[in-house]
Amino acid sequence: MTLIDSRPGIHATYVALAAETGVFIDADLAVTRLGPPLDEELAHWFPKERIPETADRYRELYPTYAIEPTRAMPGAREAVEAVRAAGGRAIVVTAKHQPNAALHLSHLGIEPDMTIGWLWAEAKGRALREEGASVYVGDHTGDVRGARAAGALSVAVPTGPCDEAELRAEGADVVLPDLRAFPRWLTAYAGG
């Protein structure tokens, strides 16, 4: 919910998974809790021993059901372009399965310099540090923690499951209304 609105596609994938497995999944509820790793959501619906195989199956179904209905968040492409215009590299660090994240971005014409997947919260910090990120933009309190773990400035947008108050309480350095405000903020932050 930072660069893409994957809720419609995730919803469709959960509906397909429920139909295939015969296990009830409240897809409407599940899409309100985006951010944490898939295994955490599946734990609400499946016994622990079934989660690994179910997660694999979800990821197999995902390209069929989730890519087409997903839309770019307002300002997503412009935010990536603003990073490059400021002389930076646009790196996507996500909890999403990397191949599926790359499919989304390609489908939507969002072209980061690198996409790193399967990292959540503080674990994102390692990748951000390795890539020399000084600013990390996210929509979840886990993203704020990831930025902190990397020693990066946390820029948050309340376009996902966490509102502005939650993001500020977690310690976001900057909260913008959405990505449309990011290019102007970045220009001012970069000093020009």
Side-chain angles (χ1 to χ4, degrees):
M1 296 297 300
T2 304
L3 290 174
I4 65 172
D5 182 353
S6 56
R7 290 174 299 183
I10 289 172
H11 188 282
T13 306
Y14 278 129
V15 168
L17 183 66
E20 184 178 293
T21 62
V23 173
F24 173 75
I25 300 171
D26 186 341
D28 292 332
L29 177 59
V31 298
T32 68
R33 302 190 288 221
L34 299 183
L38 173 63
D39 290 5
E40 289 184 27
E41 183 61 38
L42 292 176
H44 293 285
W45 316 108
F46 292 88
K48 185 177 181 176
E49 65 275 5
R50 288 193 59 197
I51 291 174
E53 72 184 49
T54 304
D56 288 345
R57 183 61 184 145
Y58 174 95
R59 291 182 189 102
E60 290 169 1
L61 292 168
Y62 195 92
T64 301
Y65 293 96
I67 303 304
E68 185 59 38
T70 294
R71 299 291 170 250
M73 294 297 285
R77 289 178 196 87
E78 295 83 358
V80 169
E81 292 166 11
V83 170
R84 289 200 187 97
R89 292 173 52 231
I91 301 165
V92 173
V93 182
T94 179
K96 195 175 287 304
H97 181 54
Q98 190 277 337
N100 289 340
L103 283 173
H104 276 304
L105 297 170
S106 176
H107 174 76
L108 295 170
I110 300 171
E111 301 176 0
D113 295 294
M114 178 183 287
T115 302
I116 304 167
W118 274 13
L119 297 175
W120 167 240
E122 290 83 359
K124 290 182 176 185
R126 182 178 60 252
L128 293 168
R129 271 192 316 278
E130 287 173 4
E131 295 303 323
S134 58
V135 174
Y136 183 61
V137 182
D139 67 278
H140 198 283
T141 55
D143 296 324
V144 176
R145 294 193 316 270
R148 287 269 177 262
L153 187 79
S154 171
V155 176
V157 289
T159 52
C162 301
D163 65 23
E164 181 176 347
E166 290 173 283
L167 295 165
R168 287 191 187 284
E170 192 65 42
D173 296 301
V174 176
V175 179
L176 302 173
D178 60 35
L179 285 180
R180 291 176 287 200
F182 181 76
R184 178 177 287 161
W185 174 85
L186 183 61
T187 298
Y189 174 75

